[in-house]
Amino acid sequence: MANNPYEISFTGNPFSYTINGYDLGTSQKYSWVEGLANCPKCAAEVTSSRFYCKECGYGKDKKTKPVKVTGYEYVINDEYEHGKYFRVADKSLFETVIIEPYKKQMIVEALSLVENSDLIFNQWGFKDTIEKGTGVSLLFHGLPGTGKTLMAQAVADYLGKKLITITAAEVMDKYVGETEKKIAELFDKHKEDVILFDECDSLLGSRERARASWEVSQVNVLLNKLENHRGVTVFTTNHSTNLDKALDRRIAVKVRFEMPSQELRKQIWRRMFPKKAPLAADIDWDLLASYEITGGYVKNTVLRAARIAAFRKETEITFTVLKEALKQELMALMEYENVEQAATAAQETPEKEQLKLHQNR
């Protein structure tokens, strides 16, 4: 690689890698150095480890974007000469998250504001008429285990950005004014990242129901910083009705993550098994999909079946093992929910009733 202007070095496990001496941090994506692509200029095959075409030299010029590699796109920042980082945009996770297609389309259209920022704000001149609210804020709400947090990670990967996950415990402080200070510092520090406020109702509860002045103050600061933030912010919650009403106009897209349909559940069951898994041929996917459970419980069941099969030294993960794992998962779920009901006197939801119907199938 002596003639390659994009010199790459790897150290440690996982790799900590640099390009032309610029530290890119740590990556868990080992496959990114193994892909192949075709040069957009001469169509010759190019390996991702070279970053440029040996046949025609495309990609050697630092002003030229490197060749796209299957599954990933290497993007040179406009200020590369000043030491800005490369970013890796990976859309594979976004494509594998199973939700209704129209909801994915809503998210992609919202992210277009980031991908086409120069076109919209500079070339079309919107920077002259719109000063605030130029970032992208997404609200993912709905049942637990339906993929809200997974989609947040997929959004970050889609844009080639780092996901910063924030919970109330990380910013809440017992001293007056410290919570607001931490929130402000958070937005200032992560302007280039995707910020995820997980279970955001803990930080963005309705000010109308606030019992203390500091609760109102922290919501005010968060909303103000969000208004001026030009990056991407994702909020997830199981209780969207508890959120402050002022958040509504600051959200570009609201996506409700519901109980997947039977067809989507079938896709989720199939997707959970990797190609290398020794899956038996007798799996009844339609029967598995008939159980109204979310993707989170499907994942738990699949892992439970895998460890049962491994413990018993089975050569395959059979349908019998899967049904046993599913029954154990449902029994564990019902036991937990019964304890919860006893503690909170909460009424059963239709989902819980459905689990009871299927428990002994």
Side-chain angles (χ1 to χ4, degrees), residues 40-60:
K41 186 174 181 181
C42 72
E45 190 175 81
V46 181
T47 63
S48 58
S49 59
R50 286 205 302 269
F51 280 93
Y52 74 101
C53 179
K54 277 190 173 181
E55 298 298 323
C56 68
Y58 181 88
K60 279 192 173 184

Side-chain angles (χ1 to χ4, degrees), residues 19-35:
I19 297 182
N20 279 18
Y22 299 135
D23 182 18
L24 298 179
T26 300
S27 173
Q28 299 285 353
K29 299 184 178 71
Y30 298 98
S31 60
W32 72 279
V33 294
E34 300 171 358

Side-chain angles (χ1 to χ4, degrees), residues 222-233:
L222 205 161
L223 291 175
N224 179 265
K225 297 301 291 187
L226 183 64
E227 184 83 5
N228 291 280
H229 186 56
R230 297 190 176 185
V232 178
T233 311

Side-chain angles (χ1 to χ4, degrees), residues 262-282:
Q262 184 163 343
E263 180 55 37
L264 289 180
R265 292 198 298 272
K266 186 175 179 179
Q267 293 180 38
I268 293 171
W269 276 104
R270 286 181 174 274
R271 189 68 59 82
M272 285 293 177
F273 287 94
K275 293 180 180 179
K276 293 181 180 180
L279 192 61
D282 66 340

Side-chain angles (χ1 to χ4, degrees), residues 1 48 60 97 145 164 169 175 202 221 241 269 296 299 331 341 360:
M1 296 180 60
S48 58
K60 279 192 173 184
V97 177
I164 305 298
Y175 295 107
S202 300
V221 170
T241 55
W269 276 104
K299 179 196 71 175
M331 290 175 66
Q341 290 164 14
N360 295 315

Side-chain angles (χ1 to χ4, degrees), residues 27-199:
S27 173
Q28 299 285 353
K29 299 184 178 71
Y30 298 98
S31 60
W32 72 279
V33 294
E34 300 171 358
L36 294 175
N38 293 103
C39 175
K41 186 174 181 181
C42 72
E45 190 175 81
V46 181
T47 63
S48 58
S49 59
R50 286 205 302 269
F51 280 93
Y52 74 101
C53 179
K54 277 190 173 181
E55 298 298 323
C56 68
Y58 181 88
K60 279 192 173 184
D61 185 348
K62 291 183 180 180
K63 295 180 181 179
T64 304
K65 286 187 177 181
V67 177
K68 285 186 178 182
V69 179
T70 304
Y72 303 94
E73 179 181 3
Y74 300 87
V75 181
I76 296 181
N77 190 289
D78 292 336
E79 299 183 62
Y80 170 77
E81 297 288 352
H82 303 290
K84 291 282 185 174
Y85 294 162
F86 279 67
R87 297 194 183 97
V88 182
D90 177 9
K91 300 182 180 180
S92 59
L93 179 59
F94 186 85
E95 292 169 356
T96 60
V97 177
I98 299 175
I99 59 172
E100 294 85 345
Y102 79 91
K103 292 181 179 179
K104 277 191 176 182
Q105 184 64 26
M106 290 167 59
I107 296 171
V108 169
E109 289 175 354
L111 297 180
S112 174
L113 188 69
V114 177
E115 295 185 300
N116 299 292
S117 177
D118 180 66
L119 173 66
I120 295 171
F121 292 108
N122 295 326
Q123 297 182 42
W124 289 356
F126 279 96
K127 67 177 182 180
D128 299 325
T129 58
I130 301 176
E131 296 182 3
K132 294 184 177 182
T134 57
V136 176
S137 298
L138 308 172
L139 175 63
F140 299 157
H141 63 104
L143 294 172
T146 48
K148 298 185 294 295
T149 305
L150 180 63
M151 179 55 84
Q153 182 63 64
V155 165
D157 287 357
Y158 186 97
L159 296 171
K161 296 179 179 292
K162 184 178 180 181
L163 181 69
I164 305 298
T165 302
I166 304 299
T167 62
E170 294 176 80
V171 294
M172 296 287 281
D173 198 291
K174 63 181 180 180
Y175 295 107
V176 176
E178 287 301 308
T179 299
E180 294 88 332
K181 182 180 177 181
K182 288 181 179 180
I183 292 172
E185 290 175 347
L186 174 70
F187 278 98
D188 293 339
K189 181 179 179 180
H190 298 291
K191 293 179 180 179
E192 298 297 324
D193 302 315
V194 173
I195 302 175
L196 165 63
F197 286 95
D198 197 21
E199 298 183 9

Side-chain angles (χ1 to χ4, degrees), residues 1-21:
M1 296 180 60
N3 297 322
N4 186 353
Y6 306 109
E7 293 291 348
I8 309 171
S9 62
F10 302 93
T11 57
N13 184 11
F15 296 137
S16 176
Y17 57 100
T18 62
I19 297 182
N20 279 18

